[in-house]
Short mmCIF file of all heavy atoms in Angstrom, two decimals:
data_model
loop_
_atom_site.label_atom_id
_atom_site.label_comp_id
_atom_site.label_asym_id
_atom_site.label_seq_id
_atom_site.Cartn_x
_atom_site.Cartn_y
_atom_site.Cartn_z
N MET A 335 145.08 79.88 160.81
CA MET A 335 144.02 79.41 160.00
C MET A 335 142.79 79.20 160.95
O MET A 335 142.93 78.75 162.10
CB MET A 335 144.37 78.03 159.40
CG MET A 335 143.30 77.43 158.56
SD MET A 335 143.81 75.97 157.81
CE MET A 335 143.23 76.25 156.18
N ARG A 336 141.60 79.64 160.51
CA ARG A 336 140.41 79.62 161.29
C ARG A 336 139.71 78.31 161.10
O ARG A 336 139.60 77.82 159.95
CB ARG A 336 139.55 80.74 160.81
CG ARG A 336 138.35 80.95 161.73
CD ARG A 336 137.65 82.25 161.37
NE ARG A 336 136.27 82.10 161.83
CZ ARG A 336 135.11 82.29 161.16
NH1 ARG A 336 135.26 82.75 159.95
NH2 ARG A 336 133.98 82.11 161.59
N GLU A 337 139.25 77.70 162.15
CA GLU A 337 138.53 76.40 162.04
C GLU A 337 137.12 76.71 161.61
O GLU A 337 136.39 77.65 161.83
CB GLU A 337 138.36 75.82 163.46
CG GLU A 337 137.67 74.48 163.51
CD GLU A 337 137.60 73.90 164.99
OE1 GLU A 337 138.46 74.23 165.74
OE2 GLU A 337 136.63 73.24 165.15
N VAL A 338 136.58 75.91 160.65
CA VAL A 338 135.29 75.99 160.00
C VAL A 338 134.39 75.15 160.79
O VAL A 338 134.70 73.94 161.08
CB VAL A 338 135.33 75.47 158.54
CG1 VAL A 338 134.00 75.53 157.95
CG2 VAL A 338 136.31 76.44 157.74
N VAL A 339 133.34 75.65 161.31
CA VAL A 339 132.32 74.91 162.14
C VAL A 339 131.03 74.85 161.35
O VAL A 339 130.45 75.73 160.90
CB VAL A 339 132.06 75.68 163.48
CG1 VAL A 339 131.03 75.00 164.30
CG2 VAL A 339 133.38 75.90 164.15
N ALA A 340 130.55 73.53 161.22
CA ALA A 340 129.19 73.28 160.74
C ALA A 340 128.16 73.71 161.77
O ALA A 340 128.40 73.48 162.94
CB ALA A 340 129.04 71.87 160.34
N ASP A 341 127.16 74.44 161.33
CA ASP A 341 126.16 74.98 162.34
C ASP A 341 124.83 74.78 161.81
O ASP A 341 124.53 74.91 160.61
CB ASP A 341 126.48 76.53 162.46
CG ASP A 341 125.62 77.15 163.55
OD1 ASP A 341 124.36 77.15 163.39
OD2 ASP A 341 126.24 77.58 164.49
N ALA A 342 123.88 74.29 162.72
CA ALA A 342 122.50 74.11 162.32
C ALA A 342 121.57 74.17 163.54
O ALA A 342 122.21 74.04 164.67
CB ALA A 342 122.33 72.77 161.61
N VAL A 343 120.38 74.32 163.37
CA VAL A 343 119.47 74.36 164.53
C VAL A 343 118.71 73.03 164.52
O VAL A 343 118.12 72.51 163.56
CB VAL A 343 118.35 75.46 164.37
CG1 VAL A 343 117.38 75.44 165.42
CG2 VAL A 343 119.06 76.80 164.30
N GLY A 344 118.84 72.32 165.71
CA GLY A 344 118.17 71.10 165.96
C GLY A 344 117.09 71.20 166.90
O GLY A 344 116.61 72.30 167.17
N ARG A 345 116.74 70.07 167.59
CA ARG A 345 115.71 70.18 168.60
C ARG A 345 115.81 69.00 169.54
O ARG A 345 116.22 67.94 169.19
CB ARG A 345 114.34 69.97 167.86
CG ARG A 345 113.05 70.06 168.75
CD ARG A 345 111.88 69.99 167.89
NE ARG A 345 111.82 71.05 166.88
CZ ARG A 345 111.12 72.09 166.87
NH1 ARG A 345 110.29 72.32 167.81
NH2 ARG A 345 111.21 73.05 165.98
N ILE A 346 115.46 69.27 170.85
CA ILE A 346 115.46 68.23 171.87
C ILE A 346 113.94 67.98 172.17
O ILE A 346 113.20 69.01 172.45
CB ILE A 346 116.17 68.61 173.13
CG1 ILE A 346 117.66 68.84 172.88
CG2 ILE A 346 115.91 67.54 174.27
CD1 ILE A 346 118.49 69.17 174.09
N ALA A 347 113.51 66.81 172.10
CA ALA A 347 112.07 66.47 172.29
C ALA A 347 111.90 65.44 173.31
O ALA A 347 112.78 64.56 173.41
CB ALA A 347 111.41 66.06 171.00
N ARG A 348 110.85 65.52 174.13
CA ARG A 348 110.56 64.51 175.04
C ARG A 348 109.28 63.79 174.61
O ARG A 348 108.26 64.33 174.20
CB ARG A 348 110.20 65.22 176.45
CG ARG A 348 109.91 64.21 177.49
CD ARG A 348 109.67 64.83 178.80
NE ARG A 348 109.44 63.84 179.79
CZ ARG A 348 108.98 64.05 180.99
NH1 ARG A 348 108.61 65.24 181.38
NH2 ARG A 348 108.75 63.07 181.82
N ARG A 349 109.40 62.49 174.61
CA ARG A 349 108.31 61.57 174.27
C ARG A 349 107.39 61.42 175.42
O ARG A 349 107.69 61.64 176.58
CB ARG A 349 108.87 60.23 173.73
CG ARG A 349 109.68 60.22 172.51
CD ARG A 349 110.06 59.02 171.99
NE ARG A 349 110.03 57.86 172.86
CZ ARG A 349 110.16 56.59 172.47
NH1 ARG A 349 110.59 56.34 171.23
NH2 ARG A 349 110.07 55.56 173.23
N LYS A 350 106.23 60.82 175.15
CA LYS A 350 105.26 60.48 176.17
C LYS A 350 105.78 59.49 177.22
O LYS A 350 105.37 59.62 178.41
CB LYS A 350 104.02 60.00 175.57
CG LYS A 350 103.19 61.03 174.81
CD LYS A 350 101.94 60.50 174.17
CE LYS A 350 101.26 61.63 173.37
NZ LYS A 350 100.09 61.15 172.71
N ASP A 351 106.70 58.64 176.86
CA ASP A 351 107.33 57.66 177.77
C ASP A 351 108.44 58.19 178.54
O ASP A 351 109.06 57.47 179.32
CB ASP A 351 107.75 56.38 176.97
CG ASP A 351 108.82 56.61 176.00
OD1 ASP A 351 109.39 57.78 175.92
OD2 ASP A 351 109.27 55.63 175.32
N GLY A 352 108.73 59.50 178.39
CA GLY A 352 109.73 60.14 179.23
C GLY A 352 111.18 60.19 178.58
O GLY A 352 112.04 60.81 179.17
N LYS A 353 111.33 59.45 177.54
CA LYS A 353 112.68 59.50 176.84
C LYS A 353 112.77 60.78 176.15
O LYS A 353 111.84 61.41 175.70
CB LYS A 353 112.72 58.32 175.86
CG LYS A 353 112.85 56.97 176.49
CD LYS A 353 112.96 55.94 175.44
CE LYS A 353 113.04 54.53 176.12
NZ LYS A 353 113.16 53.41 175.07
N HIS A 354 114.03 61.22 175.91
CA HIS A 354 114.42 62.46 175.27
C HIS A 354 115.23 62.11 173.99
O HIS A 354 116.04 61.22 174.03
CB HIS A 354 115.12 63.39 176.15
CG HIS A 354 114.36 63.95 177.22
ND1 HIS A 354 114.03 63.15 178.33
CD2 HIS A 354 113.68 65.09 177.42
CE1 HIS A 354 113.22 63.95 179.12
NE2 HIS A 354 113.09 65.09 178.62
N PHE A 355 115.03 62.82 172.97
CA PHE A 355 115.78 62.60 171.76
C PHE A 355 116.35 63.94 171.23
O PHE A 355 115.64 65.01 171.39
CB PHE A 355 114.86 62.05 170.55
CG PHE A 355 114.55 60.67 170.85
CD1 PHE A 355 113.35 60.29 171.59
CD2 PHE A 355 115.35 59.63 170.41
CE1 PHE A 355 113.08 58.93 171.81
CE2 PHE A 355 115.10 58.30 170.64
CZ PHE A 355 113.91 57.98 171.37
N LEU A 356 117.51 63.81 170.75
CA LEU A 356 118.10 65.05 170.07
C LEU A 356 118.09 64.91 168.57
O LEU A 356 118.61 63.89 168.00
CB LEU A 356 119.55 65.15 170.52
CG LEU A 356 120.47 66.30 169.84
CD1 LEU A 356 119.82 67.69 170.30
CD2 LEU A 356 121.87 66.19 170.38
N TYR A 357 117.27 65.79 167.89
CA TYR A 357 117.06 65.67 166.45
C TYR A 357 118.03 66.64 165.84
O TYR A 357 118.17 67.77 166.15
CB TYR A 357 115.64 66.08 166.12
CG TYR A 357 114.72 65.06 166.55
CD1 TYR A 357 114.00 65.07 167.83
CD2 TYR A 357 114.39 63.89 165.76
CE1 TYR A 357 113.19 64.21 168.20
CE2 TYR A 357 113.52 62.95 166.15
CZ TYR A 357 112.86 63.13 167.44
OH TYR A 357 111.96 62.16 167.83
N LEU A 358 118.78 66.18 164.78
CA LEU A 358 119.75 66.90 164.08
C LEU A 358 119.24 67.08 162.64
O LEU A 358 118.74 66.11 161.96
CB LEU A 358 121.12 66.24 164.05
CG LEU A 358 121.69 65.99 165.44
CD1 LEU A 358 122.96 65.17 165.32
CD2 LEU A 358 121.91 67.18 166.15
N PRO A 359 119.39 68.24 162.00
CA PRO A 359 119.00 68.46 160.70
C PRO A 359 119.74 67.66 159.69
O PRO A 359 121.03 67.36 159.85
CB PRO A 359 119.30 69.96 160.40
CG PRO A 359 119.40 70.55 161.77
CD PRO A 359 119.86 69.55 162.66
N LYS A 360 119.09 67.17 158.63
CA LYS A 360 119.70 66.31 157.58
C LYS A 360 120.93 66.93 156.99
O LYS A 360 121.93 66.30 156.75
CB LYS A 360 118.63 66.10 156.50
CG LYS A 360 119.18 65.19 155.37
CD LYS A 360 118.16 65.03 154.35
CE LYS A 360 118.69 64.26 153.10
NZ LYS A 360 117.81 64.29 151.97
N GLY A 361 120.98 68.23 156.71
CA GLY A 361 122.16 68.89 156.15
C GLY A 361 123.29 68.82 156.99
O GLY A 361 124.45 68.70 156.56
N LEU A 362 123.14 68.88 158.33
CA LEU A 362 124.23 68.83 159.29
C LEU A 362 124.84 67.31 159.30
O LEU A 362 126.03 67.17 159.25
CB LEU A 362 123.89 69.15 160.65
CG LEU A 362 124.98 69.16 161.71
CD1 LEU A 362 125.96 70.26 161.53
CD2 LEU A 362 124.39 69.36 163.10
N VAL A 363 123.89 66.36 159.37
CA VAL A 363 124.32 64.96 159.36
C VAL A 363 125.07 64.52 158.11
O VAL A 363 126.01 63.78 158.24
CB VAL A 363 123.20 64.06 159.67
CG1 VAL A 363 123.49 62.66 159.58
CG2 VAL A 363 122.57 64.39 161.13
N GLU A 364 124.69 65.08 157.03
CA GLU A 364 125.23 64.73 155.69
C GLU A 364 126.51 65.52 155.31
O GLU A 364 127.14 65.24 154.38
CB GLU A 364 124.16 64.81 154.62
CG GLU A 364 123.09 63.69 154.79
CD GLU A 364 121.98 63.88 153.66
OE1 GLU A 364 121.94 64.83 152.97
OE2 GLU A 364 121.24 62.93 153.61
N ASP A 365 126.82 66.45 156.17
CA ASP A 365 128.07 67.32 155.99
C ASP A 365 129.26 66.36 156.10
O ASP A 365 129.36 65.49 156.97
CB ASP A 365 128.15 68.38 157.00
CG ASP A 365 129.20 69.35 156.75
OD1 ASP A 365 130.37 69.03 157.04
OD2 ASP A 365 128.97 70.43 156.17
N SER A 366 130.35 66.60 155.30
CA SER A 366 131.52 65.74 155.28
C SER A 366 132.25 65.84 156.66
O SER A 366 133.03 64.95 157.02
CB SER A 366 132.45 66.16 154.21
OG SER A 366 132.84 67.47 154.30
N ALA A 367 132.09 66.90 157.38
CA ALA A 367 132.70 67.08 158.72
C ALA A 367 132.04 66.29 159.88
O ALA A 367 132.52 66.27 160.93
CB ALA A 367 132.79 68.56 159.00
N PHE A 368 130.79 65.81 159.63
CA PHE A 368 130.02 65.09 160.70
C PHE A 368 130.83 63.87 161.11
O PHE A 368 131.16 63.05 160.27
CB PHE A 368 128.61 64.70 160.18
CG PHE A 368 127.70 64.33 161.22
CD1 PHE A 368 127.17 65.32 162.06
CD2 PHE A 368 127.36 63.03 161.39
CE1 PHE A 368 126.28 64.93 163.09
CE2 PHE A 368 126.46 62.67 162.39
CZ PHE A 368 125.88 63.64 163.19
N PRO A 369 131.10 63.75 162.48
CA PRO A 369 132.08 62.79 162.94
C PRO A 369 131.37 61.38 163.23
O PRO A 369 132.10 60.53 163.73
CB PRO A 369 132.49 63.38 164.20
CG PRO A 369 131.39 64.18 164.80
CD PRO A 369 130.72 64.69 163.52
N PHE A 370 130.14 61.16 162.87
CA PHE A 370 129.52 59.97 163.19
C PHE A 370 129.18 59.21 161.85
O PHE A 370 128.81 59.84 160.88
CB PHE A 370 128.22 60.13 163.92
CG PHE A 370 128.38 60.86 165.25
CD1 PHE A 370 128.15 62.25 165.27
CD2 PHE A 370 128.75 60.27 166.41
CE1 PHE A 370 128.25 62.94 166.48
CE2 PHE A 370 128.82 60.93 167.58
CZ PHE A 370 128.66 62.26 167.61
N GLY A 371 129.21 57.86 161.89
CA GLY A 371 128.78 57.04 160.77
C GLY A 371 127.18 57.20 160.74
O GLY A 371 126.58 57.13 161.84
N VAL A 372 126.66 57.43 159.60
CA VAL A 372 125.27 57.45 159.43
C VAL A 372 124.65 56.06 159.42
O VAL A 372 124.77 55.32 158.43
CB VAL A 372 124.91 58.21 158.16
CG1 VAL A 372 123.34 58.34 158.07
CG2 VAL A 372 125.46 59.58 158.26
N GLU A 373 124.03 55.64 160.53
CA GLU A 373 123.46 54.43 160.75
C GLU A 373 121.99 54.66 161.25
O GLU A 373 121.72 55.78 161.46
CB GLU A 373 124.22 53.53 161.84
CG GLU A 373 125.66 53.31 161.32
CD GLU A 373 126.45 52.61 162.40
OE1 GLU A 373 125.88 52.17 163.41
OE2 GLU A 373 127.67 52.58 162.33
N SER A 374 121.33 53.53 161.60
CA SER A 374 120.11 53.78 162.14
C SER A 374 120.13 54.23 163.67
O SER A 374 119.32 54.95 164.19
CB SER A 374 119.18 52.50 162.07
OG SER A 374 119.83 51.50 162.81
N SER A 375 121.30 53.87 164.17
CA SER A 375 121.57 54.22 165.58
C SER A 375 123.17 54.19 165.79
O SER A 375 123.78 53.38 165.25
CB SER A 375 120.92 53.23 166.51
OG SER A 375 121.27 53.53 167.90
N ALA A 376 123.69 55.15 166.48
CA ALA A 376 125.10 55.20 166.76
C ALA A 376 125.36 55.43 168.19
O ALA A 376 124.72 56.36 168.80
CB ALA A 376 125.77 56.31 165.89
N PRO A 377 126.24 54.66 168.91
CA PRO A 377 126.46 54.95 170.29
C PRO A 377 127.41 56.18 170.44
O PRO A 377 128.25 56.42 169.68
CB PRO A 377 127.35 53.67 170.72
CG PRO A 377 127.90 53.19 169.44
CD PRO A 377 126.94 53.59 168.37
N VAL A 378 127.05 56.94 171.47
CA VAL A 378 127.73 58.19 171.71
C VAL A 378 127.94 58.51 173.20
O VAL A 378 127.28 57.85 173.99
CB VAL A 378 126.95 59.45 171.18
CG1 VAL A 378 126.73 59.29 169.68
CG2 VAL A 378 125.53 59.64 171.84
N ARG A 379 128.86 59.29 173.50
CA ARG A 379 129.07 59.78 174.88
C ARG A 379 128.66 61.16 174.95
O ARG A 379 128.93 62.01 174.06
CB ARG A 379 130.53 59.68 175.27
CG ARG A 379 130.84 60.22 176.72
CD ARG A 379 132.25 60.07 177.13
NE ARG A 379 132.77 58.73 176.89
CZ ARG A 379 132.50 57.64 177.61
NH1 ARG A 379 131.71 57.75 178.58
NH2 ARG A 379 133.10 56.48 177.35
N VAL A 380 127.85 61.49 175.95
CA VAL A 380 127.24 62.86 176.06
C VAL A 380 127.79 63.44 177.38
O VAL A 380 127.73 62.88 178.40
CB VAL A 380 125.66 62.82 176.14
CG1 VAL A 380 125.25 64.31 176.31
CG2 VAL A 380 125.13 62.22 174.89
N VAL A 381 128.34 64.65 177.25
CA VAL A 381 129.05 65.32 178.39
C VAL A 381 128.42 66.67 178.57
O VAL A 381 128.25 67.47 177.60
CB VAL A 381 130.56 65.43 178.19
CG1 VAL A 381 131.25 66.29 179.33
CG2 VAL A 381 131.14 64.10 177.94
N ILE A 382 128.12 67.05 179.83
CA ILE A 382 127.60 68.41 180.12
C ILE A 382 128.77 69.22 180.58
O ILE A 382 129.35 68.87 181.63
CB ILE A 382 126.45 68.40 181.10
CG1 ILE A 382 125.24 67.55 180.61
CG2 ILE A 382 126.04 69.85 181.48
CD1 ILE A 382 124.23 67.38 181.64
N ASP A 383 129.14 70.25 179.79
CA ASP A 383 130.23 71.13 180.23
C ASP A 383 129.53 72.43 181.00
O ASP A 383 129.07 73.28 180.22
CB ASP A 383 131.01 71.61 179.07
CG ASP A 383 132.10 72.57 179.39
OD1 ASP A 383 132.21 73.00 180.56
OD2 ASP A 383 132.83 72.96 178.44
N ARG A 384 129.46 72.33 182.25
CA ARG A 384 128.72 73.43 182.99
C ARG A 384 129.43 74.78 182.94
O ARG A 384 128.80 75.80 182.84
CB ARG A 384 128.53 72.98 184.40
CG ARG A 384 127.55 71.78 184.47
CD ARG A 384 127.24 71.40 185.89
NE ARG A 384 126.35 70.31 185.83
CZ ARG A 384 125.92 69.69 186.97
NH1 ARG A 384 126.39 70.08 188.14
NH2 ARG A 384 125.10 68.64 186.79
N LEU A 385 130.76 74.68 182.86
CA LEU A 385 131.57 75.93 182.81
C LEU A 385 131.42 76.60 181.46
O LEU A 385 131.20 77.77 181.43
CB LEU A 385 133.03 75.66 183.17
CG LEU A 385 133.28 75.24 184.59
CD1 LEU A 385 134.76 74.93 184.74
CD2 LEU A 385 132.90 76.27 185.66
N GLY A 386 131.52 75.82 180.44
CA GLY A 386 131.40 76.37 178.99
C GLY A 386 129.96 76.46 178.63
O GLY A 386 129.76 76.93 177.54
N LYS A 387 129.04 75.90 179.36
CA LYS A 387 127.57 75.88 179.12
C LYS A 387 127.42 75.23 177.72
O LYS A 387 126.82 75.76 176.72
CB LYS A 387 127.02 77.34 179.05
CG LYS A 387 127.08 77.88 180.45
CD LYS A 387 126.52 79.24 180.49
CE LYS A 387 126.51 79.74 181.86
NZ LYS A 387 125.92 81.12 182.00
N LYS A 388 127.97 74.01 177.58
CA LYS A 388 127.81 73.29 176.36
C LYS A 388 127.45 71.82 176.56
O LYS A 388 127.75 71.31 177.66
CB LYS A 388 129.22 73.24 175.68
CG LYS A 388 129.70 74.60 175.16
CD LYS A 388 131.13 74.48 174.52
CE LYS A 388 131.67 75.81 174.22
NZ LYS A 388 133.00 75.70 173.64
N LEU A 389 126.83 71.29 175.60
CA LEU A 389 126.50 69.83 175.59
C LEU A 389 127.42 69.24 174.49
O LEU A 389 127.38 69.61 173.40
CB LEU A 389 125.05 69.48 175.27
CG LEU A 389 124.58 68.17 175.24
CD1 LEU A 389 124.60 67.56 176.63
CD2 LEU A 389 123.19 68.01 174.68
N ILE A 390 128.24 68.35 174.91
CA ILE A 390 129.23 67.77 173.98
C ILE A 390 128.82 66.27 173.69
O ILE A 390 128.57 65.52 174.52
CB ILE A 390 130.63 67.81 174.54
CG1 ILE A 390 131.06 69.23 174.96
CG2 ILE A 390 131.70 67.18 173.66
CD1 ILE A 390 132.19 69.35 175.84
N VAL A 391 128.74 65.97 172.38
CA VAL A 391 128.32 64.62 171.94
C VAL A 391 129.49 64.12 171.17
O VAL A 391 129.90 64.74 170.09
CB VAL A 391 127.08 64.71 171.06
CG1 VAL A 391 126.63 63.27 170.64
CG2 VAL A 391 125.88 65.34 171.79
N MET A 392 130.04 62.92 171.65
CA MET A 392 131.22 62.31 170.92
C MET A 392 130.98 60.90 170.53
O MET A 392 130.25 60.23 171.29
CB MET A 392 132.45 62.33 171.96
CG MET A 392 132.84 63.74 172.43
SD MET A 392 134.08 63.66 173.73
CE MET A 392 133.13 63.13 175.14
N PRO A 393 131.40 60.56 169.43
CA PRO A 393 131.24 59.16 168.94
C PRO A 393 132.07 58.19 169.78
O PRO A 393 133.15 58.59 170.30
CB PRO A 393 131.74 59.12 167.54
CG PRO A 393 132.64 60.26 167.42
CD PRO A 393 132.16 61.30 168.38
N LEU A 394 131.54 57.04 170.05
CA LEU A 394 132.24 55.99 170.87
C LEU A 394 132.88 55.08 169.89
O LEU A 394 132.37 54.73 168.74
CB LEU A 394 131.29 55.17 171.74
CG LEU A 394 130.69 55.93 172.97
CD1 LEU A 394 129.79 55.03 173.72
CD2 LEU A 394 131.84 56.47 173.81
N THR A 395 134.06 54.43 170.23
CA THR A 395 134.58 53.47 169.45
C THR A 395 133.96 52.19 169.71
O THR A 395 133.16 52.04 170.67
CB THR A 395 136.14 53.27 169.80
OG1 THR A 395 136.20 52.87 171.15
CG2 THR A 395 136.90 54.62 169.58
N ARG A 396 134.13 51.28 168.91
CA ARG A 396 133.33 49.91 169.07
C ARG A 396 133.75 49.31 170.41
O ARG A 396 132.86 48.76 171.12
CB ARG A 396 133.81 48.88 167.97
CG ARG A 396 133.16 49.27 166.66
CD ARG A 396 133.56 48.08 165.69
NE ARG A 396 133.05 48.39 164.33
CZ ARG A 396 131.94 48.03 163.84
NH1 ARG A 396 131.17 47.18 164.59
NH2 ARG A 396 131.52 48.37 162.59
N SER A 397 134.94 49.42 170.86
CA SER A 397 135.43 48.83 172.18
C SER A 397 134.79 49.51 173.37
O SER A 397 134.28 48.89 174.32
CB SER A 397 136.96 48.87 172.34
OG SER A 397 137.43 50.21 172.31
N GLU A 398 134.62 50.86 173.26
CA GLU A 398 133.93 51.61 174.29
C GLU A 398 132.43 51.30 174.35
O GLU A 398 131.80 51.13 175.38
CB GLU A 398 134.05 53.11 174.05
CG GLU A 398 135.49 53.69 174.29
CD GLU A 398 135.52 55.20 173.96
OE1 GLU A 398 135.18 55.51 172.83
OE2 GLU A 398 135.80 55.92 174.86
N SER A 399 131.85 51.14 173.14
CA SER A 399 130.40 50.81 173.08
C SER A 399 130.12 49.49 173.65
O SER A 399 129.12 49.33 174.42
CB SER A 399 130.01 50.91 171.61
OG SER A 399 128.72 50.44 171.41
N SER A 400 130.96 48.45 173.24
CA SER A 400 130.66 47.10 173.74
C SER A 400 130.98 46.90 175.18
O SER A 400 130.38 46.09 175.94
CB SER A 400 131.52 46.00 172.97
OG SER A 400 132.76 46.29 173.03
N SER A 401 131.90 47.66 175.81
CA SER A 401 132.28 47.51 177.20
C SER A 401 131.23 48.20 178.09
O SER A 401 131.11 47.96 179.25
CB SER A 401 133.57 48.13 177.51
OG SER A 401 133.57 49.56 177.34
N ARG A 402 130.31 49.04 177.52
CA ARG A 402 129.37 49.73 178.31
C ARG A 402 127.96 49.05 178.27
O ARG A 402 127.05 49.31 178.99
CB ARG A 402 129.16 51.13 177.81
CG ARG A 402 130.45 51.92 177.89
CD ARG A 402 130.33 53.34 178.18
NE ARG A 402 129.23 53.87 178.91
CZ ARG A 402 129.22 54.17 180.19
NH1 ARG A 402 130.36 54.13 180.79
NH2 ARG A 402 128.28 54.77 180.75
N LYS A 403 127.87 47.95 177.49
CA LYS A 403 126.58 47.25 177.37
C LYS A 403 126.35 46.56 178.77
O LYS A 403 127.22 46.03 179.36
CB LYS A 403 126.58 46.26 176.25
CG LYS A 403 126.47 46.89 174.90
CD LYS A 403 126.40 45.80 173.81
CE LYS A 403 126.30 46.53 172.52
NZ LYS A 403 126.18 45.65 171.38
N GLY A 404 125.07 46.52 179.11
CA GLY A 404 124.69 45.88 180.35
C GLY A 404 124.77 46.75 181.59
O GLY A 404 124.46 46.35 182.69
N ARG A 405 125.18 47.95 181.39
CA ARG A 405 125.29 48.86 182.52
C ARG A 405 123.96 49.69 182.72
O ARG A 405 123.15 49.84 181.88
CB ARG A 405 126.33 49.92 182.33
CG ARG A 405 127.64 49.34 182.57
CD ARG A 405 128.72 50.47 182.57
NE ARG A 405 130.01 49.87 182.95
CZ ARG A 405 131.12 50.57 183.02
NH1 ARG A 405 131.04 51.84 182.86
NH2 ARG A 405 132.14 50.05 183.31
#
């Protein structure tokens, strides 16, 4: 069985204050396969896979999120 992958074009933007944001299209975020709860903000882990040339974004559990505060 072949895995179905949701695919969309987003954008990485840099603000004047130097912060960067990853914008995701509404259709991708509202897809039933989207792994994050839709909130105003969600904690994530971002991994750069240099060998696979991928940026991986994974949702954090509440315990992972709270243990990382203050770092």
Side-chain angles (χ1 to χ4, degrees):
M335 179 177 229
R336 190 172 156 229
E337 182 179 332
V338 177
V339 177
D341 185 296
V343 176
R345 180 176 305 252
I346 296 177
R348 182 176 182 194
R349 295 186 346 175
K350 291 180 183 177
D351 64 3
K353 292 181 181 181
H354 292 77
F355 288 91
L356 176 62
Y357 291 94
L358 303 174
K360 179 182 177 188
L362 180 70
V363 174
E364 292 179 347
D365 187 281
S366 62
F368 193 72
F370 303 96
V372 179
E373 301 172 14
S374 62
S375 178
V378 298
R379 177 175 313 283
V380 179
V381 178
I382 299 171
D383 176 358
R384 293 183 181 176
L385 294 176
K387 297 182 180 181
K388 296 177 184 178
L389 182 66
I390 303 167
V391 182
M392 300 174 286
L394 289 178
T395 63
R396 287 187 187 260
S397 62
E398 288 175 302
S399 175
S400 61
S401 68
R402 301 213 29 105
K403 286 186 179 178
R405 283 192 176 181

